[in-house]
């Protein structure tokens, strides 16, 4: 009798373990901001939902950035945040980006073998109160879903009407281990150690040229900037000055579970309008 009870308890424990496991889903989420020049018009509304398999969206960060440029006619795209998590069905998972002014909520539901459904709500603006996008989507595990919205205007002017944001969601059987991680979730941001200030080009300063350059960089596990790509362009002279400076910056590496890792990282460098000498009071 005792053995029967033990066997029954073991079977019940195994059933509960399998059931609990089957009620979880791994998802990889990347949030990008796109940039479009004033002279370039949008080919597609950023509010459209792009679902597999027709879109053929990649699961790789670098490829996702490239596809955003090609498919939507963007001049560049910066990774705002990334998230890798295993979440329970029926429990919403929250991802924040842009200083908490963009919040993505993902609520997964099971939908047959190899399939899944989830509700996605994207809120934005101050305290992320305005619903920008809300959708229920379904598809095969391993496919990437893309939803878009309009970026809220921030006090420093970093976001504009021509800078929509996009959320890539990929449900997986298990999480992947990328060579370069997105900052977000369990991956901490690298901490700046030293910064080389860019030299304001004399001609640009004299002519009162201004601008902001946004880079997408890779900071490796030693804290060095190993790859730099401009995703939001400015005056060519200002770009070159910014590029020369940022390649010399050093960081304390990003970490994941306490171990240093290489990460994608966005840097914004601004060249404000120079103050005229005769306007400076003693």
């Amino acid at each position: 009798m005792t053995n029967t009870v033990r066997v029954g308890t073991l079977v019940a424990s195994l059933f509960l373990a399998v059931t609990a496991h089957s009620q979880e889903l791994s998802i990889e989420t990347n949030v990008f901001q796109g940039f479009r020049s004033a002279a370039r018009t949008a080919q597609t509304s950023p509010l459209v939902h792009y679902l597999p398999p027709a879109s053929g969206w990649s699961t790789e960060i670098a490829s996702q950035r490239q596809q955003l440029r090609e498919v939507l006619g963007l001049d560049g795209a910066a990774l705002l945040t990334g998230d890798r998590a295993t979440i329970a069905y029926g429990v919403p998972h929250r991802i924040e980006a842009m200083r908490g002014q963009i919040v993505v909520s993902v609520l997964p539901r099971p939908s047959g073998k190899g399939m899944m459904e989830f509700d996605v709500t994207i809120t934005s603006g101050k305290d992320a109160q305005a619903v920008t996008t809300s959708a229920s989507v379904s598809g095969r595990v391993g496919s990437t879903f893309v939803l878009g919205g309009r970026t809220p205007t921030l006090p420093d002017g970093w976001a504009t009407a021509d800078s929509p944001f996009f959320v890539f969601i990929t449900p997986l059987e298990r999480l992947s281990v990328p060579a370069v991680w997105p900052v977000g979730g369990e991956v901490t941001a690298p901490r700046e150690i030293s910064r080389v200030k860019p030299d304001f080009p004399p001609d640009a300063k004299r002519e009162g040229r201004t601008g902001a350059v946004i880079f997408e960089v890779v900071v490796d596990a030693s804290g060095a900037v190993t790859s730099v790509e401009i995703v939001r362009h400015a005056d060519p002279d200002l770009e070159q000055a910014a590029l020369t400076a940022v390649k010399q910056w050093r960081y304390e590496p990003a970490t994941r579970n306490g171990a240093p890792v290489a990460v994608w990282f966005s840097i914004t460098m601004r060249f404000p309008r120079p103050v005229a000498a005769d306007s400076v009071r003693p």
Side-chain angles (χ1 to χ4, degrees):
M1 184 70 175
T2 302
N3 288 337
T4 302
V5 172
R6 287 177 179 173
V7 171
T9 302
L10 178 60
V11 170
S13 298
L14 289 173
F15 174 78
L16 290 173
V18 170
T19 302
H21 178 73
S22 65
Q23 295 303 307
E24 292 182 336
L25 177 72
S26 295
I27 60 169
E28 297 186 354
T29 307
N30 296 319
V31 182
F32 294 86
Q33 183 173 16
F35 298 100
R36 186 181 293 116
S37 69
R40 194 168 183 174
T41 57
Q43 296 179 0
T44 313
S45 167
L47 299 178
V48 171
H49 307 152
Y50 298 90
L51 308 179
S55 60
W57 294 100
S58 173
T59 60
E60 298 294 327
I61 292 174
S63 298
Q64 289 176 353
R65 293 173 58 240
Q66 180 63 28
Q67 285 181 302
L68 280 177
R69 292 195 294 263
E70 294 176 351
V71 175
L72 300 179
L74 299 172
D75 294 310
L79 180 65
L80 298 180
T81 191
D83 185 85
R84 305 290 186 271
T86 298
I87 59 180
Y89 286 118
V91 178
H93 181 64
R94 178 185 174 102
I95 301 113
E96 291 190 9
M98 196 173 280
R99 308 169 192 174
Q101 295 205 54
I102 295 174
V103 175
V104 182
S105 177
V106 181
L107 178 65
R109 303 188 303 271
S111 180
K113 186 177 181 180
M115 303 295 290
M116 52 74 57
E117 298 179 352
F118 53 82
D119 298 327
V120 181
T121 301
I122 305 173
T123 53
S124 63
K126 186 176 181 181
D127 300 322
Q129 294 178 344
V131 175
T132 300
T133 302
S134 183
S136 295
V137 297
S138 62
R140 186 168 299 279
V141 172
S143 298
T144 298
F145 301 75
V146 183
L147 297 93
R150 295 187 178 90
T151 304
T153 300
L154 299 182
D156 58 10
W158 194 73
T160 70
D162 294 319
S163 304
F165 65 86
F166 302 92
V167 179
F168 286 67
I169 302 173
T170 306
L172 300 166
E173 292 185 359
R174 63 185 61 87
L175 297 177
S176 64
V177 181
V180 183
W181 291 81
V183 172
E186 61 185 10
V187 180
T188 66
R191 187 175 65 85
E192 185 181 302
I193 295 175
S194 64
R195 170 189 293 232
V196 175
K197 188 176 181 179
D199 294 326
F200 207 128
D203 290 344
K205 181 181 290 188
R206 184 176 60 254
E207 296 167 8
R209 284 183 265 160
T210 63
V213 186
I214 297 179
F215 299 99
E216 188 84 346
V217 306
V218 173
V219 176
D220 69 13
S222 73
V225 176
T226 58
S227 173
V228 182
E229 180 179 349
I230 297 175
V231 296
R232 185 180 188 182
H233 293 268
D235 181 282
D237 291 336
L238 302 182
E239 284 184 8
Q240 186 56 53
L243 190 62
T244 300
V246 79
K247 288 181 178 179
Q248 302 175 66
W249 291 12
R250 292 286 302 181
Y251 290 86
E252 183 178 297
T255 61
R256 177 178 177 267
N257 297 330
V261 291
V263 293
W264 295 99
F265 191 56
S266 294
I267 296 174
T268 301
M269 193 176 295
R270 294 180 178 81
F271 292 83
R273 185 175 301 280
V275 177
D278 58 2
S279 67
V280 178
R281 296 182 179 179

